[in-house]
């Protein structure tokens, strides 16, 4: 089989779990290392995630990004996540890239993350949010739930709230402000404060 000859990649990072984490945000898998601008989640400058977080929590899309250096401010990112109780991990632990790119469409998930083990490390976390369709499908399988519609939430048998959010990839055709609106609503529902100036 063709896919068997493809390189197997293991997720490069440990879960980021701050003390008192109340929400776990999960993508699918990082892009190839050649696309990283930092050694952390959502490292690609052409992904809207950190620009969206800057807009939501600081009212400034570049609050977590240095335009001159063209780098994300990783200490500020980790400080924000710790302050707000936001954990990060991805839904895949091992994958094959069927087309050699970062597209979820061509990502074969060989081993999903052990979600329940991960949540057991976060006793105050009752919300999981997925950033895109493929991640939503993996969490649905792991929790034996249907895939929610985009921007909607359902609750599994254990009381876990599961949100499906818009993809933050630029390939997903939605304005940054509209993505921020979806995520703001989800953060508020999870009890995470957003300063609205």
């Amino acid at each position: 089989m063709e896919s068997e000859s493809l390189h197997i990649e293991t997720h490069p990072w440990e879960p980021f779990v701050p003390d008192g984490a109340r929400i776990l945000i999960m993508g699918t898998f990082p892009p190839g290392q050649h696309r990283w601008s930092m050694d952390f989640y959502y490292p690609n400058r052409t992904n809207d995630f950190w620009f969206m977080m800057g807009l939501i929590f600081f009212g400034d899309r570049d609050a977590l990004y240095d335009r001159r250096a063209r780098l994300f401010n990783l200490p500020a990112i980790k400080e924000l996540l710790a302050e707000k109780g936001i954990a990060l991990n991805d839904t895949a632990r091992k994958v094959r890239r069927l087309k050699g790119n970062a597209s979820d469409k061509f990502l074969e998930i060989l081993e999903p993350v052990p979600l329940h083990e991960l949540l057991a490390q976060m006793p105050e976390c009752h919300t999981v949010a997925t950033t895109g369709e493929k991640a939503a499908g993996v969490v649905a399988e792991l929790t034996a739930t249907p895939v929610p519609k985009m921007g909607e939430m359902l609750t599994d048998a254990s009381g876990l709230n599961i949100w499906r959010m818009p993809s933050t990839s630029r390939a997903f055709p939605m304005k940054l402000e509209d993505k921020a609106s979806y995520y703001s609503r989800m953060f508020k529902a999870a009890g995470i404060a957003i300063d609205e100036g």
Side-chain angles (χ1 to χ4, degrees), residues 32-170:
Q33 193 168 354
H34 65 288
R35 294 187 177 275
W36 297 2
S37 67
M38 64 176 173
D39 194 11
F40 195 65
Y41 292 88
Y42 304 97
N44 190 340
R45 284 186 297 265
T46 62
N47 188 293
D48 279 332
F49 189 84
W50 297 116
F51 299 108
M52 178 189 74
M53 294 289 274
L55 195 58
I56 291 170
F57 291 105
F58 301 99
D60 175 4
R61 61 167 285 139
D62 290 334
L64 301 169
Y65 184 68
D66 182 336
R67 274 217 177 265
R68 188 171 295 170
R70 299 186 72 235
L71 291 171
F72 291 109
N73 183 340
L74 186 52
I77 283 170
K78 289 184 174 180
E79 185 180 336
L80 171 68
L81 297 173
E83 179 194 326
K84 299 295 183 181
I86 299 169
L88 298 177
N89 197 207
D90 287 319
T91 54
R93 190 179 257 181
K94 291 189 177 180
V95 302
R96 284 192 189 99
R97 295 185 202 277
L98 303 181
K99 299 281 186 184
N101 61 28
S103 171
D104 280 359
K105 190 175 177 184
F106 301 113
L107 203 61
E108 179 186 11
I109 296 177
L110 303 175
E111 183 185 322
V113 72
L115 179 60
H116 297 290
E117 283 177 31
L118 183 56
L119 288 169
Q121 300 170 33
M122 296 180 262
E124 295 172 54
C125 179
H126 304 290
T127 302
V128 168
T130 57
T131 61
E133 187 175 4
K134 189 155 193 136
V138 175
V139 168
E141 283 184 32
L142 295 173
T143 56
T145 56
V147 176
K149 291 180 179 173
M150 191 179 70
E152 294 188 4
M153 181 204 81
L154 56 78
T155 304
D156 79 356
S158 73
L160 181 69
N161 296 323
I162 302 166
W163 288 80
R164 174 184 166 191
M165 305 310 294
S167 171
T168 56
S169 166
R170 296 261 173 92

